[in-house]
Amino acid sequence: MVESKTMQPTMQQAITAGIIVFRKGQEGLKFLILYHRGSYWNFPKGHVESEEKIWQAALREVREETGLKQSELHFMPGFRAEERFVYRKGKEKVLKVVSLFLAETRQPRITVSDEHNGYGWFTYPDARRILSKYKDSVRILEQAHDFLRGKSVSHRSRHPQGHRAHLQRSSSNGGTPPGVPGGREHAQ
């Protein structure tokens, strides 16, 4: 007896990378969230280009979308969150994989790209509220917050590649970001 197996068409993949950027303020830790048209807020991120490593794409996208340079970012070794979901592009199904690193900056001023309408530095509770339409973004914010609460923010790395083994761990091993009240929005 011969069994025939039907081959399922391979699903397209869209790989994106970004960084959850935070800084210390008078009200505690604040998270950078970029504003897009409508009511869409999210972390700085974008598509990984061919021949680019995920951490390189994350740095490039953050530079393009916020103006923050690698020298202004201090990575938290051991944190990498991942989000996976399927969406439709026409008749095709696409698997989107988003990898996010965690980094501290001391730079409060951001220069948003043309694809964004503004940004804000938000305390953890305010960031949760703003991201509440997007459950996976809230989950990743929680992981970053928990991670930071369990780790001294003063331990940093300037370059994610140097801590690659740590950064390859999934977000389920990582944590969540700490919360603080009040966020100031900047529209352009």
Side-chain angles (χ1 to χ4, degrees):
M1 179 185 321
V2 177
E3 291 184 23
S4 95
K5 294 182 179 181
T6 56
M7 297 288 288
Q8 296 229 354
T10 37
M11 190 180 304
Q12 277 188 316
Q13 284 192 357
I15 310 297
T16 60
I19 301 172
I20 301 165
V21 180
F22 70 95
R23 68 182 179 87
K24 295 177 192 174
Q26 290 180 350
E27 300 173 46
L29 294 179
K30 290 195 171 188
F31 296 90
L32 175 64
I33 305 177
L34 302 180
Y35 175 66
H36 303 262
R37 301 169 270 315
S39 61
Y40 180 63
W41 291 83
N42 216 323
F43 306 112
K45 64 181 186 250
H47 291 280
V48 176
E49 295 176 359
S50 64
E51 303 302 316
E52 195 174 40
K53 296 188 183 320
I54 290 173
W55 63 266
Q56 291 170 323
L59 283 169
R60 178 185 49 76
E61 286 292 339
V62 167
R63 175 72 188 253
E64 290 173 5
E65 295 184 357
T66 69
L68 289 172
K69 301 174 203 147
Q70 180 176 337
S71 62
E72 297 173 309
L73 297 168
H74 305 283
F75 287 85
M76 300 296 107
F79 184 90
R80 178 172 164 185
E82 198 170 86
E83 173 184 4
R84 293 172 177 259
F85 59 92
V86 176
Y87 69 93
R88 288 204 172 276
K89 185 177 182 180
K91 293 183 179 184
E92 298 279 327
K93 284 185 177 180
V94 179
L95 171 64
K96 186 164 186 174
V97 179
V98 181
S99 291
L100 291 162
F101 298 97
L102 180 62
E104 179 183 7
T105 188
R106 292 189 175 152
Q107 179 57 260
R109 290 198 181 101
I110 300 301
T111 305
V112 293
S113 66
D114 291 339
E115 65 185 276
H116 300 96
N117 300 93
Y119 71 97
W121 288 104
F122 299 97
T123 62
Y124 176 64
D126 289 339
R128 279 184 58 95
R129 182 180 47 78
I130 287 164
L131 296 172
S132 65
K133 290 182 184 178
Y134 310 100
K135 303 268 186 258
D136 283 335
S137 294
V138 171
R139 178 183 54 79
I140 288 171
L141 176 68
E142 288 173 351
Q143 289 172 345
H145 181 257
D146 289 346
F147 184 88
L148 291 171
R149 285 194 346 197
K151 187 172 204 125
S152 167
V153 177
S154 63
H155 177 16
R156 341 176 156 132
S157 168
R158 286 189 182 263
H159 199 282
Q161 184 183 29
H163 298 280
R164 215 158 157 196
H166 297 288
L167 292 171
Q168 293 301 326
R169 286 189 277 166
S170 75
S171 60
S172 60
N173 297 338
T176 310
V180 190
R184 200 172 68 190
E185 298 176 26
H186 301 275
Q188 289 191 334

